[in-house]
């Protein structure tokens, strides 16, 4: 791992509150009933420090994330965004994004999203029978109706969004049904996560020996069908792997989960961590709860010094170095996800995880295989021209 | 396993269309394949294949620099967006970019 002389902060993950208004069965967040909300002064202090440090990338993505960020009022974000905008150096662009369960989205939220060109990701596991299996309200009812109502509000208000779907045993067998559903709801930017073991949650799916084969079959089928439909703009698992594979010699691939402060993660009390954001809020004696300081009381320089001297950084670095020595996929991955190494292997210093298999190896294998087929197809057969995408209309279904 | 000139030509046709174009082209080739690819045992390692792919990309770019074909109709800025200015940015091509690192090698939960 190359440690840059100065940090390059490109992604800031802010937990405005740990509280979530629903209770998904696979949730790994330990503090999701705590209703504490971050103070405006903490947000201000964070961005004062970031901008004064000179460590920000030309574009910083601020992700307002877990618990459920939309339980905090719209007015909070309008004030916070305006404050950040006032402090922002002209050379730095700030893009705000929310990852939400979608149940609280209404016209007022959509107005905020549009006013500030906010990126919106909605957690939606597919049609009702799949979504409601795990994504439940605090009283145990399915949340599908409220999430879909939120998505329809986004569409009515012309707000761009993507969905993240957690794949379960059942959904892995249903790529075609999932695509039909997305298209019927006007969803054309799609991301998949496979149910993971993290924190206190142990996935029943994650460690099965057949998972790699099943997931590869699912992803390949979904990719083909989505592209054949001509109505899907974005299949994250493939489309974000492509630039990492198809790059010129000598161009490095970064892994911001293993670079100190490349991801800066802040909880509602001002506590700061880096590396995998899921580490924030977890308890661990050996690593001081994965915390590097508190932005209300320390400077970013002090936090960085703490980071570089920490056992956390030492062990994550050892794990990356081990990956570089042993893994065929290192040139596209850059050393894995520390949180998954810890929860799957029991240590940051290890290497391959099931998460690596699913997020790096499977997409890479699929793309390499497709490239071989492209390269060896008969010379008379030209690559298929890229069709312009048809707009997605509600009520449409996949062919 | 450096591919021959045919692969370079195929790649050169697809690269200018960005990630979406590559995604469409590769999916179509994969879905339409009538021959079974070589068994894994006969292939070089994944690391070697990835290195070879980067060699192919460099070759396609060099071909463009040399004779302007087949990238002739492509805005150079569009190509730059793939790799960023002087460094690898995973964004650039999607909604104006998702920042350094992007999702895929950064974090999957947003």
């Amino acid at each position: 791992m190359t440690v840059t002389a100065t940090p390059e902060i490109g992604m800031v993950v802010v937990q405005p509150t740990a509280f979530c208004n629903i209770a998904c069965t696979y949730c790994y967040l330990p503090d999701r009933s705590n209703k504490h909300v971050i103070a405006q002064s903490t947000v201000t202090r964070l961005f004062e420090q970031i901008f004064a440090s000179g460590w920000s990338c030309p574009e910083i993505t601020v992700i307002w994330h877990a618990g459920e960020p939309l339980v905090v009022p719209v007015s909070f974000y309008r004030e916070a965004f305006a404050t950040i905008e006032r402090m922002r150096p002209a050379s730095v662009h700030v893009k705000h994004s929310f990852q939400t369960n979608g149940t609280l989205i209404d016209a007022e939220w959509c107005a905020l999203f549009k006013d500030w060109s906010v990126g919106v990701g909605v957690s939606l596991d597919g049609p009702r029978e799949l979504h409601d299996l795990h994504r439940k309200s605090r009283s145990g009812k399915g949340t599908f109706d409220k999430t879909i109502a939120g998505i329809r509000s986004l569409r009515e208000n012309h707000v761009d969004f993507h969905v993240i779907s957690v794949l379960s045993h059942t959904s892995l067998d249903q790529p075609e049904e999932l695509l039909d559903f997305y298209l019927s709801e006007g969803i054309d930017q799609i991301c998949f996560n496979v149910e993971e073991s993290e924190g206190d949650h142990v996935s029943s799916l994650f460690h099965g020996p057949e998972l790699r084969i099943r997931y590869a079959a699912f992803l390949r089928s979904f990719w083909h069908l989505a592209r054949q439909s001509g109505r899907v703009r974005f299949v994250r698992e493939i489309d974000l792997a492509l630039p990492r594979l198809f790059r010129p010699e000598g161009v490095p691939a970064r892994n911001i989960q293993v670079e100190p402060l490349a991801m800066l993660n802040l909880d509602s009390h001002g506590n700061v961590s880096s590396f995998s954001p899921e580490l924030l809020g977890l308890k661990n004696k050996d690593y001081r709860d994965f915390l590097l300081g508190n932005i209300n009381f320390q400077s970013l320089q002090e936090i960085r010094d703490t980071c570089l001297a920490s056992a956390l950084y030492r062990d994550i670095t050892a794990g990356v170095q081990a990956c570089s020595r042993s893994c065929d996929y290192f040139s596209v991955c850059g050393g894995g996800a520390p949180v998954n190494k810890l929860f799957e292997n029991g240590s940051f210093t290890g290497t391959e995880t099931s998460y690596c298999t699913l997020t790096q190896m499977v997409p890479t294998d699929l793309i390499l295989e497709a490239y071989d087929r492209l390269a060896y197809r008969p010379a008379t057969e030209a690559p298929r021209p890229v069709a312009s995408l048809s707009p997605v209309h509600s009520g449409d279904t996949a062919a | 396993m450096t591919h021959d000139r045919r692969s370079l030509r195929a790649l050169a046709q697809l690269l200018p269309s960005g990630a979406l174009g590559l995604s469409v082209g590769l999916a179509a080739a994969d879905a339409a394949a009538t021959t079974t690819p070589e068994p894994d045992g006969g292939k070089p390692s994944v690391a070697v294949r990835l290195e070879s792919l980067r060699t192919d990309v460099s070759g396609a770019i060099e071909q463009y620099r040399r004779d302007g074909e087949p990238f002739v109709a492509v805005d150079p800025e569009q190509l730059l967006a793939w790799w960023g200015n002087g460094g690898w940015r995973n964004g650039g091509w999607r909604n104006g970019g998702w920042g350094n690192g992007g999702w895929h090698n950064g974090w999957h939960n947003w």
Side-chain angles (χ1 to χ4, degrees), chain A residues 70 95-100 102 105 109-110 113-114 117-122 154 159-163 189, chain B residues 94 98 103 110:
Chain A
L70 271 54
K95 178 172 177 60
H96 295 282
S97 289
F98 285 85
Q99 183 60 39
T100 172
I105 293 173
W109 280 107
C110 290
F113 299 152
K114 290 176 74 171
S117 301
V118 172
V120 181
V122 181
L154 290 171
V159 176
D160 203 32
F161 68 97
H162 64 269
V163 298
Q189 300 187 81
Chain B
R94 181 172 182 271
W98 287 91
W103 290 346
W110 69 290

Side-chain angles (χ1 to χ4, degrees), chain A residues 247-262:
Chain A
R247 66 182 204 264
E249 297 161 301
V251 175
R254 291 184 68 192
N255 179 346
I256 61 172
Q257 281 202 69
V258 300
E259 290 181 27
L261 304 197

Side-chain angles (χ1 to χ4, degrees), chain A residues 40-307:
Chain A
Q40 289 286 349
S41 59
T42 302
V43 177
T44 303
R45 165 83 178 167
L46 173 68
F47 283 91
E48 274 175 358
Q49 285 289 309
I50 291 173
F51 295 145
S53 71
W55 295 343
S56 54
C57 293
E59 180 174 291
I60 294 181
T61 302
V62 183
I63 309 170
W64 302 86
H65 206 279
E68 168 52 43
L70 271 54
V71 300
V72 177
V74 171
S75 57
F76 175 92
Y77 294 105
R78 286 199 178 276
E79 183 178 346
F81 291 2
T83 302
I84 294 167
E85 182 64 15
R86 276 196 301 275
M87 293 189 295
R88 176 180 66 83
S91 59
V92 177
H93 176 68
V94 176
K95 178 172 177 60
H96 295 282
S97 289
F98 285 85
Q99 183 60 39
T100 172
N101 60 42
T103 59
L104 300 173
I105 293 173
D106 59 14
E108 189 184 9
W109 280 107
C110 290
L112 174 81
F113 299 152
K114 290 176 74 171
D115 289 348
W116 287 90
S117 301
V118 172
V120 181
V122 181
S123 300
L124 172 73
D125 285 356
R128 179 190 303 278
E129 61 274 19
L130 293 176
H131 181 92
D132 284 348
L133 274 177
H134 298 290
R135 302 194 64 82
K136 296 180 184 297
S137 69
R138 285 180 167 261
S139 61
K141 295 177 182 169
T143 59
F144 178 82
D145 287 334
K146 288 184 175 176
T147 299
I148 281 295
I151 284 177
R152 290 173 181 165
S153 183
L154 290 171
R155 295 191 62 217
E156 286 163 12
N157 289 281
H158 308 290
V159 176
D160 203 32
F161 68 97
H162 64 269
V163 298
I164 295 181
S165 295
V166 174
L167 297 172
S168 62
H169 264 299
T170 311
S171 47
L172 276 174
D173 294 328
Q174 301 184 27
E176 194 167 357
E177 291 84 351
L178 276 170
L179 180 62
D180 282 346
F181 167 73
Y182 296 133
L183 295 180
S184 72
E185 289 295 338
I187 296 164
D188 63 355
Q189 300 187 81
I190 299 145
C191 315
F192 293 114
N193 285 344
V194 176
E195 185 189 336
E196 299 170 43
S197 293
E198 266 176 4
D200 291 333
H201 177 70
V202 178
S203 166
S204 59
L205 176 64
F206 215 46
H207 301 288
E210 83 289 6
L211 179 57
R212 181 173 185 160
I213 296 167
R214 286 186 70 200
Y215 180 62
F218 169 88
L219 188 57
R220 171 183 243 155
S221 180
F222 188 89
W223 177 34
H224 291 178
L225 291 166
R227 290 300 167 225
Q228 283 165 12
S229 78
R231 290 146 66 198
V232 174
R233 277 192 289 164
F234 183 61
V235 181
R236 181 186 66 181
E237 286 24 77
I238 296 293
D239 295 353
L240 280 191
L242 287 168
R244 303 190 69 78
L245 270 72
F246 287 82
R247 66 182 204 264
E249 297 161 301
V251 175
R254 291 184 68 192
N255 179 346
I256 61 172
Q257 281 202 69
V258 300
E259 290 181 27
L261 304 197
M263 295 187 82
L264 198 60
N265 313 316
L266 183 81
D267 76 8
S268 64
H269 298 279
N271 294 311
V272 174
S273 75
S274 188
F275 311 109
S276 304
E278 293 89 344
L279 296 172
L280 187 59
L282 301 180
K283 300 295 178 192
N284 186 294
K285 195 174 65 176
D286 294 338
Y287 293 110
R288 300 182 176 189
D289 298 342
F290 311 109
L291 298 179
L292 304 172
N294 188 299
I295 200 67
N296 291 312
F297 309 114
Q298 285 146 321
S299 68
L300 263 188
Q301 181 65 58
E302 290 171 313
I303 288 170
R304 184 194 183 219
D305 292 344
T306 299
C307 181

Side-chain angles (χ1 to χ4, degrees), chain A residues 57 65 189 193 220 223-224 227 234 236 239 243-244 249 252 254 257 278 331 333 359 371-373 377, chain B residues 3 23 29-30 37 49 54-56 58 83 88 93-94 97 99-100 103-110:
Chain A
C57 293
H65 206 279
Q189 300 187 81
N193 285 344
R220 171 183 243 155
W223 177 34
H224 291 178
R227 290 300 167 225
F234 183 61
R236 181 186 66 181
D239 295 353
R244 303 190 69 78
E249 297 161 301
R254 291 184 68 192
Q257 281 202 69
E278 293 89 344
S331 71
C333 166
T359 60
Y371 182 59
D372 284 349
R373 287 174 161 162
R377 68 166 53 189
Chain B
H3 290 126
S23 184
D30 203 33
R49 293 167 73 195
R54 291 192 288 275
T55 303
D56 287 352
S58 293
W83 299 298
W88 177 242
W93 53 271
R94 181 172 182 271
N100 256 319
W103 290 346
H104 198 65
N105 218 33
W107 191 37
H108 262 216
N109 285 326
W110 69 290

